[in-house]
Amino acid sequence: MDISVVVPLYNEAESLPELFSWIKRVMEANGYTYEVIFVNDGSTDGSVSVIKEMAEANPEIRLISFARNYGKSPALNEGFRKAQGDVVITMDADLQDSPDEIPDLYRMITEEGYDLVSGWKKKRYDPLSKTLPTKLFNATARKVSGIRNLHDFNCGLKAYRKNVVKSIEVYGDMHRYIPYLAKNAGYKKIGEKVVQHQARKYGVTKFGLDRFVNGYLDLGTLWFQSKFGLKPMHIFGLLGSAMFAIGFIAVLVVLILKIVSICSPFYEFYVTNSVYFYLSLAAMVMGLQFFLTGFIGELIARNSVERNNYSIAEEF
Ligand code: UDP
Ligand code: MG
């Protein structure tokens, strides 16, 4: 199979028929063998019955239906697990991404050797309250991830070589950083393609302003994981050692001052009046805490956590 299109959706019933017939038109015009995997993320608006109805006449349609709303990342993750195509293309369900981009994206993966091609909504049809913070956010993501050539990390329209989606785990809200996940998994040829963008035709956006706060927190987590995820002691041990060193020096200072004060008739030194005494106390306690955190981190790193365990109501 040439292409799997993975479409995460949450209450997008009105858009689905238009989206599918558009995808189908493009696929048939180019002679691709394909499947469209709709991942219903707990919709309550009848999206599932729309998909089922379309599936009766179209065997290319597959459905994964979550029992409740888990988020876009889990939806993509399950779609990735199920995808069979050599190239996997993700696309939002709201008709903001254009299926007409599929042939170019497919070519960039199969002929130009890209592992991942991310869409770039160079001209956006979204409110300023969204586009402005997004610029800032992308600048940070570029810096932290070291992927300098991407302008639009979170574009819903992306294409992947099959191995890429099979070797990354998208959980939490990490869909914003899939290029970074791919890079950390060892896929280096990451490209970008300017894509058409439309204003949302039906329905409303499913993300509020908290997306930016959460986005930054996740970026911090990812950075930490890629640096120290498998070796937490390297950072906590370092911080702990530094604290112990500071504490040790402070204790020495206290000791020396005390000895001087005992030997000298002119100089009085009270340990509990000394700033060095409190410094040594604080530093030692913090040092110990860093080390304990490091040990616990090491234990957790060695026991893989099951993050992706979603209850799926039905699938075909
Ligand atoms: N989505 C989802 N689960 C969620 C939120 C969103 O599957 O919890 C889907 C949504 O239906 C759409 C895509 O993710 O297909 C992008 O969402 P949206 O268009 O609301 O985001 P925006 O374009 O405003 O960034
Ligand atoms: Mg949208």
Side-chain angles (χ1 to χ4, degrees):
M1 182 184 292
D2 298 326
I3 302 179
S4 295
V5 181
V6 175
V7 182
L9 63 114
Y10 178 44
N11 294 341
E12 310 280 4
E14 299 140 297
S15 311
L16 295 175
E18 215 168 303
L19 178 69
F20 178 71
S21 57
W22 193 353
I23 294 175
K24 183 174 175 169
R25 213 179 322 126
V26 172
M27 294 296 186
E28 288 178 353
N30 289 274
Y32 297 131
T33 48
Y34 71 103
E35 64 183 354
V36 178
I37 304 176
F38 286 109
V39 190
N40 164 45
D41 186 16
S43 297
T44 51
D45 71 339
S47 291
V48 172
S49 33
V50 172
I51 293 167
K52 282 184 177 164
E53 200 175 305
M54 294 191 299
E56 279 171 23
N58 299 284
E60 302 83 10
I61 293 183
R62 303 175 72 196
L63 169 72
I64 302 170
S65 193
F66 285 165
R68 67 167 174 85
N69 178 244
Y70 283 101
K72 189 176 177 183
S73 292
L76 286 174
N77 196 67
E78 290 308 302
F80 285 166
R81 285 194 191 180
K82 200 170 185 192
Q84 296 173 306
D86 299 332
V87 173
V88 177
I89 293 179
T90 59
M91 192 179 287
D92 288 353
D94 56 2
L95 293 166
Q96 289 198 269
D97 301 325
S98 161
D100 289 335
E101 308 285 354
I102 291 174
D104 279 344
L105 290 170
Y106 179 77
R107 215 170 300 123
M108 286 177 80
I109 302 282
T110 54
E111 287 170 26
E112 294 174 36
Y114 283 101
D115 295 314
L116 188 167
V117 180
S118 182
W120 173 16
K121 298 164 292 204
K122 198 168 181 179
K123 174 119 190 57
R124 285 187 71 151
Y125 296 89
D126 277 320
L128 194 72
S129 63
K130 191 159 136 188
T131 50
L132 205 66
T134 300
K135 278 219 165 75
L136 217 84
F137 161 85
N138 277 307
T140 320
R142 264 197 301 276
K143 193 119 202 115
V144 174
S145 69
I147 307 173
R148 308 275 147 149
N149 59 332
L150 286 198
H151 293 85
D152 190 2
F153 274 72
N154 188 20
C155 184
L157 183 57
K158 285 188 172 62
Y160 310 82
R161 186 182 302 289
K162 186 189 201 169
N163 316 346
V164 178
V165 303
K166 298 296 181 190
S167 50
I168 58 178
E169 193 189 7
V170 196
Y171 66 95
D173 273 336
M174 293 303 180
H175 61 269
R176 298 194 178 95
Y177 304 109
I178 296 183
Y180 195 11
L181 294 176
K183 184 187 170 204
N184 287 341
Y187 296 97
K188 293 192 192 73
K189 196 148 188 233
I190 297 173
E192 185 168 67
K193 178 185 184 305
V194 174
V195 295
Q196 290 293 324
H197 186 241
Q198 277 85 234
R200 213 180 219 284
K201 194 162 169 188
Y202 308 103
V204 292
T205 177
K206 307 301 184 298
F207 295 99
L209 277 177
D210 59 348
R211 74 168 89 199
F212 298 110
V213 179
N214 295 339
Y216 274 102
L217 292 176
D218 285 342
L219 189 59
T221 305
L222 258 190
W223 172 82
F224 185 82
Q225 275 179 352
S226 74
K227 284 250 186 275
F228 307 109
L230 295 172
K231 40 185 171 30
M233 203 51 176
H234 288 192
I235 179 72
F236 289 113
L238 182 72
L239 290 172
S241 306
M243 283 297 155
F244 270 118
I246 294 171
F248 185 72
I249 292 169
V251 167
L252 275 186
V253 172
V254 170
L255 267 179
I256 292 168
L257 290 177
K258 190 67 201 171
I259 291 169
V260 171
S261 113
I262 289 170
C263 300
S264 148
F266 310 110
Y267 176 60
E268 280 291 348
F269 177 72
Y270 297 101
V271 170
T272 51
N273 280 355
S274 163
V275 64
Y276 294 105
F277 171 68
Y278 295 102
L279 186 65
S280 69
L281 263 185
M284 293 287 193
V285 171
M286 281 167 71
L288 186 65
Q289 284 181 336
F290 278 130
F291 266 102
L292 291 179
T293 309
F295 284 126
I296 291 174
E298 290 287 334
L299 290 181
I300 294 172
R302 263 148 199 72
N303 296 280
S304 79
V305 195
E306 253 214 84
R307 279 182 293 230
N308 284 305
N309 196 4
Y310 311 111
S311 92
I312 292 170
E314 64 174 321
E315 64 178 287
F316 56 74

